[in-house]
Amino acid sequence: MYIADQTWPELGDYVAESSLAVVPLGSTEQHGPHLPLATDHLIAEALAREAADRTGYLCTPTVNVGVSPHHRQFHGTMWVDPPQFRDYVESMTRNLAYHGIDRVVFVNAHGGNVQHLREVGRRLRDDGTMYAIEWMWDESIPDLVTDLFDHPGPHGGPKETSMIMHIARGLVREGELDSARDGGVVDLSDDNLREHGARTFYDAIENSENGVFGDQTDASPEAGEELFEAATDQLVHLLSWLDDQPIEDLLAPAHVDPQPGSRR
């Protein structure tokens, strides 16, 4: 159920019966010469909407711009600074709590958002507002990703390329797959990313001239469909599990009991 397609009486009926919502989040950032800047938010929205359609749970509009300053050197990349991102997502999610939602899954497709969504979830749980957790699609199916691709890459690689081939194939510049591979970094293990144990880089361009990693020529729409179905199944199972949990079991545990005889 997509919230923006409903009327307010219909949403009143929903919250009278259910208290769960999914919030898709991604980014608008470079994904190499072969993928659109929309890659992450297209994946997040497609998965969230599909899982919501299959389960009947509520899905909100997508947050399309995320924490992406590490891609800023590439044309068109947009980003918000972490404090503003956290505050925006928290404020938006508190809207849902006001209307009766007490548990949320952040359906995320951008690695730069992860730690900030975790922080928002902690804020909301610690003050007793709701239980909100971050879910990253490829982390839900790691074995399938490694089975399908020798070099999946953390960004703009064949796993994301395959997903976009499945979701919106017309946006993939398939004639650029070879140049994406050849101008990027295929195997991160071959690159020296640390000096004496220290991570010495901040931005993607410091490691990849065209901003992407992995072997994009391994991508296919068939692999994308397999990834999409497997990730959707995992999300559906997560939503079902979360809906079954008593809210008192999800919110922050109480402080441990004082020692006997402490008179506190």
Side-chain angles (χ1 to χ4, degrees):
M1 176 187 293
Y2 182 55
I3 190 171
D5 289 342
Q6 311 304 310
T7 66
W8 71 261
E10 290 166 342
L11 291 168
D13 292 339
Y14 177 83
V15 295
E17 301 292 335
S18 298
S19 57
L20 188 152
V22 293
V23 178
L25 306 98
S27 67
T28 299
E29 64 180 24
Q30 71 85 18
H31 276 77
H34 62 302
L35 288 178
L37 274 69
T39 291
D40 288 345
H41 71 249
L42 286 174
I43 293 172
E45 181 169 321
L47 290 167
R49 293 285 292 267
E50 182 66 21
D53 286 347
R54 293 185 188 185
T55 60
Y57 294 123
L58 195 66
C59 180
T60 73
T62 304
V63 178
N64 289 340
V65 177
V67 182
S68 302
H70 49 296
H71 295 291
R72 70 176 70 203
Q73 290 89 350
F74 296 95
H75 298 303
T77 291
M78 301 183 70
W79 70 92
V80 290
D81 292 330
Q84 286 71 36
F85 176 80
R86 291 192 296 265
D87 288 347
Y88 178 85
V89 174
E90 179 180 349
S91 180
M92 173 182 163
T93 308
R94 287 186 186 278
N95 295 173
L96 297 172
Y98 177 81
H99 292 298
I101 299 298
D102 65 14
R103 59 205 76 192
V104 161
V105 174
F106 295 126
V107 176
N108 179 39
H110 173 52
N113 294 340
V114 172
Q115 63 179 313
H116 308 294
L117 295 174
R118 291 284 297 171
E119 173 62 23
V120 170
R122 173 171 284 282
R123 291 181 189 178
L124 294 166
R125 189 185 76 145
D126 284 357
D127 69 12
T129 298
M130 65 162 57
Y131 182 78
I133 52 173
E134 182 267 347
W135 178 84
M136 187 82 170
W137 74 270
D138 55 334
E139 293 180 359
S140 76
I141 50 171
D143 291 343
L144 178 58
V145 170
T146 56
D147 285 346
L148 288 174
F149 311 113
D150 291 332
H151 302 290
H155 182 76
K159 63 184 179 184
E160 289 186 320
T161 305
S162 295
M163 284 285 272
I164 298 301
M165 284 179 167
H166 174 60
I167 295 166
R169 188 168 186 176
L171 296 180
V172 180
R173 281 63 168 177
E174 296 189 37
E176 297 289 340
L177 295 181
D178 287 341
S179 65
R181 176 197 60 200
D182 298 340
V185 175
V186 173
D187 188 352
L188 277 175
S189 65
D190 292 339
D191 224 34
N192 185 7
L193 304 182
R194 294 180 180 271
E195 290 290 342
H196 307 293
R199 178 170 166 164
T200 56
F201 63 93
Y202 286 93
D203 297 332
I205 199 170
E206 295 177 83
N207 299 313
S208 172
E209 289 186 4
N210 70 2
V212 294
F213 305 86
D215 184 355
Q216 292 76 14
T217 63
D218 277 348
S220 71
E222 293 77 20
E225 182 178 13
E226 190 171 355
L227 292 168
F228 185 84
E229 290 299 322
T232 300
D233 285 345
Q234 289 297 312
L235 181 54
V236 166
H237 288 312
L238 174 61
L239 297 177
S240 178
W241 171 84
L242 185 56
D243 195 31
D244 286 342
Q245 306 309 304
I247 190 61
E248 59 270 16
D249 291 347
L250 297 172
L251 296 180
H255 192 285
V256 296
D257 289 338
Q259 292 294 321
S262 67
R263 299 183 183 276
R264 296 180 60 196

